[in-house]
Amino acid sequence: MRSYLILGMCTLFLIQYFANQTWLQYVVVSLSLLAFIGSAGKADRFPRILGLVMMGAGIIIEWNKGTGFAGISEGIFWILPLLSLITLAPLLAIPLRLGGYFESVSRLLHNLLHHPQKLYAGITGTLFIVSPILNLGSVRIINEFLEDLKLPSAMSAKSYIVGFSTALMWSPYFASVSLVLHYLNVPFKEYVFYGIGISLLSLVIGNLSFAIWEKRNPIKRDPSSLTKISKAQRRKLLELVLFVVLLMTACLMIESVTKWSMIVIVCLLSIFVPLLITAVTNDWQRAKPLWLDFRDRAVPMMNNEITLFMSAGMLAFALKGTSVMNGVSQLLKVLADQSFFLFAFAILVIVFCLTYIGIHQIAVVGALAMQLNAAELGISNISLAFILLLTWYISTALSPFSGLNLMVSRFSRLSGVQVGLRINGLHILTVVFIAIAIISFL
């Protein structure tokens, strides 16, 4: 039942985007609240408590602002694009599974086991390619491939964080990029090259730092694991890269022609690309179990995400225009007048401290995205978006409460603090320092 509520919520949101009917918006919000209640009841203990606290705080703050039910409804509707995105994007795994791409990736990684630096490059490079469309599912899949190899915990923690976090800065299929660009009204095509540039820089820095680390902490090599990759598997790897490139190109082209929201474009592609590929290949028999698995297993498993995202979105919306946020905005404006570096550093510290104690990035970054005005700060919208995405990048990689950190901690058998600050802290801070220097210069 919860699956139908959540999928119905996403479908009606997309219809409402084009129909723009007030009554339909209230129907979508009602479904969303039912989906939130159902998901919160099934969520893990910490996300459930945090979600209920943030939702309660958001509703109380919005009510005290005098907006009543209309304001609360608007706050719920504000986060629906993001909820639809995280719900529907996993559908893109269907054509990848049907095409046998994951098997080719697994063979490639096993073939690199005899050379740790090449294996690390293979893991981070693969995550760089597949994470933009598979989100956290990419880390789970890669870990399944490598589970039998018994890699050192530190190597797993480094490669998963470095490889996955690159997508946080540029992929339109990620909540970070979609939310920030959507609410700052920055077209994806104007930002994407900045995002990809810093992501590639992060990838290069990560591999160089691992090479230095591996010399100090030699990893046992196993030449006996070397197996030849067939031409068919090499072709599959090339097709995988081409698939991602075509998908991103389609996003850019549709945005340029239609001027639709990038979140809506991504949601529509997530639905129609798997359907189109299945129809073209006429492989309905193999595809049907994957669609049913998405409906019956993948969607119901999103309890934590829906609980946290919806409550954090409500809180972020409610904070807009409050005396606290006005004070923060004024402080940041003063710092921006003094120095762009001070302004950027202040935002990084504020977001990092709040997310490190468990407040979700959507609540903090979302509130800042709605509150701050780039023109008043004397900077461009792209610069502001870049800084906010850097803060999301830091908090996701380093906070022991982020979904990425929790997953990598479980796979590597290390604590969240070890995975974040101790193992990846220097890498993340290096990338952020260089990124701020570049954007200051530009």
Side-chain angles (χ1 to χ4, degrees):
M1 182 62 183
R2 280 186 299 111
S3 291
Y4 291 107
L5 273 176
I6 295 168
L7 293 175
M9 171 190 76
C10 298
T11 303
L12 287 179
F13 161 73
L14 293 174
I15 295 173
Q16 163 62 12
Y17 179 81
F18 296 102
N20 196 24
Q21 297 293 318
T22 303
W23 66 269
L24 185 56
Q25 176 173 329
Y26 286 117
V27 173
V28 179
V29 169
S30 299
L31 276 180
S32 304
L33 287 172
L34 290 174
F36 173 79
I37 293 170
S39 298
K42 298 289 185 179
D44 295 337
R45 185 172 181 271
F46 179 76
R48 180 172 64 251
I49 295 173
L50 183 60
L52 291 173
V53 169
M54 288 194 294
M55 178 63 79
I59 290 175
I60 292 172
I61 293 171
E62 190 63 33
W63 186 270
N64 288 335
K65 287 164 64 176
T67 57
F69 290 111
I72 294 171
S73 174
E74 191 176 351
I76 297 294
F77 193 77
W78 178 83
I79 200 63
L80 282 183
L82 218 51
L83 289 174
S84 300
L85 173 71
I86 65 169
T87 301
L88 298 174
L91 283 170
L92 290 171
I94 291 177
L96 297 184
R97 292 188 182 279
L98 288 175
Y101 298 109
F102 294 147
E103 290 81 356
S104 299
V105 171
S106 178
R107 176 59 63 87
L108 170 67
L109 296 179
H110 278 74
N111 190 56
L112 296 175
L113 183 60
H114 69 290
H115 198 304
Q117 292 181 27
K118 289 185 178 180
L119 176 59
Y120 183 89
I123 297 172
T124 55
T126 300
L127 287 172
F128 178 84
I129 294 170
V130 300
S131 291
I133 56 176
L134 296 183
N135 212 299
L136 279 175
S138 59
V139 179
R140 188 180 296 108
I141 290 169
I142 295 297
N143 187 71
E144 289 175 2
F145 294 160
L146 302 175
E147 204 165 10
D148 60 313
L149 301 182
K150 307 297 181 185
L151 296 179
S153 295
M155 181 177 179
S156 297
K158 282 178 175 291
S159 59
Y160 293 164
I161 294 290
V162 170
F164 178 86
S165 60
T166 56
L168 291 164
M169 290 295 297
W170 73 274
S171 172
Y173 289 82
F174 269 56
S176 54
V177 177
S178 297
L179 182 141
V180 171
L181 298 188
H182 182 72
Y183 294 109
L184 288 180
N185 294 314
V186 176
F188 179 68
K189 65 180 180 180
E190 293 181 9
Y191 169 80
V192 62
F193 296 107
Y194 293 95
I196 290 180
I198 195 62
S199 297
L200 288 171
L201 179 65
S202 173
L203 197 65
V204 171
I205 293 174
N207 278 270
L208 290 175
S209 63
F210 177 78
I212 297 172
W213 179 87
E214 202 268 332
K215 287 183 179 179
R216 297 174 180 173
N217 306 271
I219 298 173
K220 185 179 179 181
R221 304 174 184 227
D222 184 13
S224 63
S225 65
L226 183 62
T227 56
K228 189 176 181 180
I229 301 178
S230 66
K231 289 184 178 180
Q233 289 169 331
R234 291 179 185 273
R235 186 171 64 251
K236 286 291 183 184
L237 293 172
L238 184 60
E239 288 177 3
L240 176 60
V241 175
L242 185 61
F243 177 78
V244 175
V245 171
L246 288 176
L247 206 55
M248 297 305 165
T249 303
C251 289
L252 289 169
M253 291 179 63
I254 294 173
E255 182 189 47
S256 297
V257 174
T258 64
K259 309 303 179 185
W260 295 344
S261 165
M262 180 56 71
I263 296 183
V264 172
I265 294 171
V266 169
C267 289
L268 293 174
L269 286 177
S270 299
I271 297 171
F272 290 111
V273 167
L275 284 174
L276 180 62
I277 291 178
T278 306
V280 170
T281 58
N282 196 27
D283 203 358
W284 297 104
Q285 187 174 0
R286 290 177 57 216
K288 184 178 179 180
L290 298 177
W291 284 93
L292 293 177
D293 181 71
F294 169 78
R295 183 195 67 185
D296 299 334
R297 188 186 64 84
V299 174
M301 284 178 61
M302 299 181 67
N303 300 311
N304 293 344
E305 289 84 353
I306 290 175
T307 302
L308 288 174
F309 277 46
M310 191 176 294
S311 59
M314 181 67 236
L315 180 58
F317 181 84
L319 287 172
K320 180 184 178 182
T322 61
S323 57
V324 173
M325 287 307 300
N326 288 336
V328 171
S329 179
Q330 188 61 36
L331 171 63
L332 293 174
K333 185 178 184 302
V334 171
L335 293 176
D337 290 339
Q338 298 295 319
S339 165
F340 177 81
F341 181 82
L342 284 176
F343 163 75
F345 181 74
I347 290 185
L348 292 174
V349 170
I350 291 171
V351 176
F352 176 73
C353 290
L354 291 175
T355 55
Y356 204 81
I357 61 174
I359 305 300
H360 199 278
Q361 293 93 331
I362 290 177
V364 186
V365 178
L368 288 172
M370 286 188 291
Q371 183 74 30
L372 298 178
N373 185 303
E376 292 180 358
L377 295 169
I379 60 177
S380 67
N381 275 340
I382 290 181
S383 297
L384 180 57
F386 196 85
I387 293 300
L388 291 178
L389 285 169
L390 275 177
T391 65
W392 200 305
Y393 167 80
I394 289 178
S395 57
T396 300
L398 302 185
S399 172
F401 296 104
S402 75
L404 172 63
N405 197 299
L406 289 171
M407 180 179 288
V408 175
S409 297
R410 186 169 70 252
F411 291 157
S412 62
R413 299 173 299 280
L414 297 170
S415 70
V417 175
Q418 287 176 304
V419 168
L421 286 174
R422 293 184 183 176
I423 294 178
N424 289 289
L426 181 60
H427 166 75
I428 299 298
L429 292 177
T430 301
V431 172
V432 168
F433 179 81
I434 294 175
I436 293 176
I438 292 174
I439 199 68
S440 299
F441 176 76
L442 293 176

